[in-house]
Amino acid sequence: DSFIREAQTADEILGVLSHELAHTVLRHQVQLISSEQTKSVLVSLLGGTVSAVAGGANALTGLSFNRRFEKEADAQGLQYLAQARVTAQGLKRFFQRNQSDTESEIEEWVSTHPSYKLRVSEVDSHIAKEAKTRKIDFPLKELQAYLALFAGVQKQSGGEH
């Protein structure tokens, strides 16, 4: 919700929403829950000291699982933007704004997301391929107002999850 207020252009909002939509369409949450349930059963069967080791291994495999989901959602989200003729420049700006100048290799290694530097590079590759496609400009304020209205309707109807 705060990213909508902080967005500088409508294509930033559309870029992030396309990424989140991709997570839903690709059923990442369902896959993650299923994977966690399976790991939980295995860890409980192992018991004791082995359980602690398995827990550490579980955390590390979970990180790569999440990074893979993020990469997939980035790629699918970029396809959605291209299909809608929306520039990916907004998603690139969002990643750049969230990129830390001091992002260490350790932070990158333990993160559930690929580094923003890598993500910006992937978006740049996409932009270069899509350069010939005419893009549609969306007015920022109108999109923010629409999304705020939509969020209000969801809250009133009890549709907030």
Side-chain angles (χ1 to χ4, degrees):
D1 191 30
S2 66
F3 86 89
I4 293 171
R5 288 188 302 275
E6 296 170 5
Q8 296 171 357
T9 62
D11 58 334
E12 286 181 34
I13 296 171
L14 295 170
V16 173
L17 290 178
S18 69
H19 168 89
E20 296 304 328
L21 175 64
H23 277 304
T24 302
V25 171
L26 296 169
R27 301 175 52 86
H28 287 159
Q29 290 297 63
V30 173
Q31 292 178 53
L32 192 58
I33 290 168
S34 175
S35 171
E36 291 303 315
Q37 288 174 338
T38 302
K39 289 175 189 174
S40 178
V41 168
L42 290 174
V43 168
S44 68
L45 291 173
L46 294 173
T49 307
V50 177
S51 175
V53 172
N58 185 26
L60 291 176
T61 58
L63 290 175
S64 66
F65 202 54
N66 288 336
R67 278 192 216 111
R68 181 173 60 90
F69 283 170
E70 291 302 319
K71 287 184 77 164
E72 288 174 359
D74 285 351
Q76 185 67 43
L78 288 169
Q79 287 180 12
Y80 292 152
L81 291 174
Q83 290 168 353
R85 294 189 353 218
V86 175
T87 180
Q89 289 288 349
L91 186 59
K92 177 182 174 179
R93 280 191 300 277
F94 175 81
F95 288 159
Q96 287 173 325
R97 196 169 39 253
N98 287 287
Q99 184 176 343
S100 169
D101 292 333
T102 59
E103 189 174 55
S104 71
E105 285 185 34
I106 293 173
E107 287 173 317
E108 186 177 327
W109 193 71
V110 298
S111 175
T112 59
H113 288 63
S115 74
Y116 282 112
K117 183 178 180 178
L118 175 64
R119 294 172 96 179
V120 167
S121 175
E122 292 291 327
V123 173
D124 276 338
S125 295
H126 172 81
I127 290 170
K129 293 175 192 169
E130 297 293 324
K132 297 176 184 173
T133 306
R134 185 176 159 274
K135 301 299 177 199
I136 299 171
D137 289 325
F138 292 89
L140 174 63
K141 296 299 179 196
E142 287 85 346
L143 182 59
Q144 287 172 321
Y146 172 78
L147 292 172
L149 176 66
F150 181 74
V153 169
Q154 289 294 309
K155 286 179 186 176
Q156 289 174 359
S157 69
E160 189 172 65
H161 299 280

